[in-house]
Amino acid sequence: MTKCSSVHNVHNRPLNYGITLASMTALPLPERPAPARGAQSIDRALLLLRCIAARHAQGISLPGLVAAARLDRTTTYRIVSSLARAGLVGRDGATGLYRLGIEAMALGLAAMQRAPLIERCLPAMKALARRSQEHVFLVVRSGDYSHNLHLEQGAQPIHGFAETVGNLRLLGLGVPSFALLARMSDADIAAHYARHQAEYQSHNMSATKLQRWIRQTRELGHAQITGKGVAGVGMDFAVGSCGEAALGIVVPASRMPRSRGALLAALLQEEVGRLQVP
């Protein structure tokens, strides 16, 4: 059996997150964790930070934070003001809404130099590459785009696949990223398509075709896409309190009859089911 190899490039490729923050959709507010003894203030600060992260795109008001965290107004204001002084939170002067701040973004970018998600997913990706003999991608959602974090190469490396690692790609223009797109509401998908209609049409992706594949993905419980000489299956999973990622097995279309898609999806579901990404 041919040895599979890893490809990831988070060190020498520029990361472009600025164009995507405003387009992130709302995620459910995180559950309130059990407080640790002697660390109540820290626990509360982290809870508020998670609440703000879950509503980063549209922002969240002070009353909204009070309700989400189930803290009194004075405590909430005191802690969120401290987070703002540290740069972890920003407050819109016109609306009063809170969002993540520059320091929160800086911490995330620092983590990308050795992305913890790659380390967590690597055993599953190696197992998938070994069992399928095909190429396995890990992507994370960044607003309207997916960021390709890692490629675990299959038995027959494809040079063009390796070159995509580290790049941003519009949701729906890649197999694993399509699983992320299908998670969005119909209204959000329609707005997303309208924002990027020209780019979709340049890839011969009409709104009707996109909607058909969305319905199929939701019915199957995973993305199964064929186009432009490649095919594959993709499945999404949650990362922490407010992140989204997906794994995908991507193959040349000639090696994937529809019956094989079901087999690859079963492998993918088995490995994704083992992933616990807090």
Side-chain angles (χ1 to χ4, degrees):
M1 183 178 294
T2 305
K3 185 177 180 181
C4 302
S5 62
S6 301
V7 178
H8 61 91
N9 185 5
V10 296
H11 295 281
N12 57 8
R13 286 182 183 267
L15 301 180
N16 181 4
Y17 289 94
I19 59 175
T20 64
L21 292 176
S23 55
M24 292 177 67
T25 56
L27 294 170
L29 290 172
E31 294 182 4
R32 184 175 185 175
R37 181 174 297 178
Q40 187 179 59
S41 294
I42 296 173
D43 289 337
R44 287 173 171 176
L46 292 174
L47 173 60
L48 288 169
L49 198 58
R50 292 189 185 102
C51 290
I52 292 168
R55 290 290 185 268
H56 171 79
Q58 69 273 42
I60 186 168
S61 65
L62 182 63
L65 281 173
V66 170
R70 300 195 296 276
L71 298 172
D72 65 75
R73 186 182 179 92
T74 300
T75 298
T76 300
Y77 179 77
R78 175 176 54 82
I79 295 175
V80 79
S81 296
S82 180
L83 292 171
R85 286 193 296 273
L88 292 167
V89 168
R91 182 177 180 274
D92 189 305
T95 65
L97 298 178
Y98 291 95
R99 294 183 175 87
L100 293 178
I102 291 294
E103 186 61 23
M105 183 176 179
L107 291 172
L109 291 173
M112 294 302 293
Q113 300 303 311
R114 184 174 174 176
L117 185 60
I118 295 177
E119 296 183 16
R120 182 61 61 90
C121 293
L122 200 55
M125 297 183 72
K126 287 183 177 296
L128 286 168
R130 183 182 68 252
R131 296 172 70 184
S132 69
Q133 293 291 288
E134 302 294 359
H135 314 282
V136 183
F137 287 90
L138 169 65
V139 305
V140 292
R141 184 177 174 193
S142 181
D144 282 0
Y145 296 81
S146 65
H147 176 209
N148 185 352
L149 281 186
H150 182 75
L151 164 64
E152 195 66 27
Q153 290 187 343
Q156 302 177 43
I158 298 177
H159 180 68
F161 282 6
E163 291 180 340
T164 68
V165 177
N167 291 343
L168 289 171
R169 197 174 190 185
L170 190 62
L171 290 176
L173 296 183
V175 175
S177 80
F178 206 91
L180 296 172
L181 182 65
R183 285 177 56 90
M184 296 164 57
S185 70
D186 290 341
D188 286 337
I189 290 171
H192 169 83
Y193 187 87
R195 285 194 296 272
H196 304 284
Q197 184 173 354
E199 185 172 355
Y200 274 121
Q201 290 182 346
S202 72
H203 289 271
N204 297 317
M205 178 70 79
S206 66
T208 300
K209 183 177 182 180
L210 187 73
Q211 291 165 1
R212 183 173 70 249
W213 280 1
I214 290 289
R215 286 195 300 270
Q216 173 184 286
T217 298
R218 291 171 176 170
E219 290 169 0
L220 293 174
H222 63 268
Q224 185 166 325
I225 307 296
T226 300
K228 293 191 174 182
V230 297
V233 296
M235 192 169 295
D236 65 279
F237 58 94
V239 179
S241 63
C242 56
E244 299 172 80
L247 286 175
I249 303 175
V250 182
V251 309
S254 60
R255 295 209 300 266
M256 189 167 152
R258 191 165 185 84
S259 59
R260 192 180 185 217
L263 296 175
L264 294 180
L267 291 179
L268 191 59
Q269 185 171 20
E270 182 180 339
E271 293 297 336
V272 169
R274 293 191 179 115
L275 285 176
Q276 298 293 328
V277 187

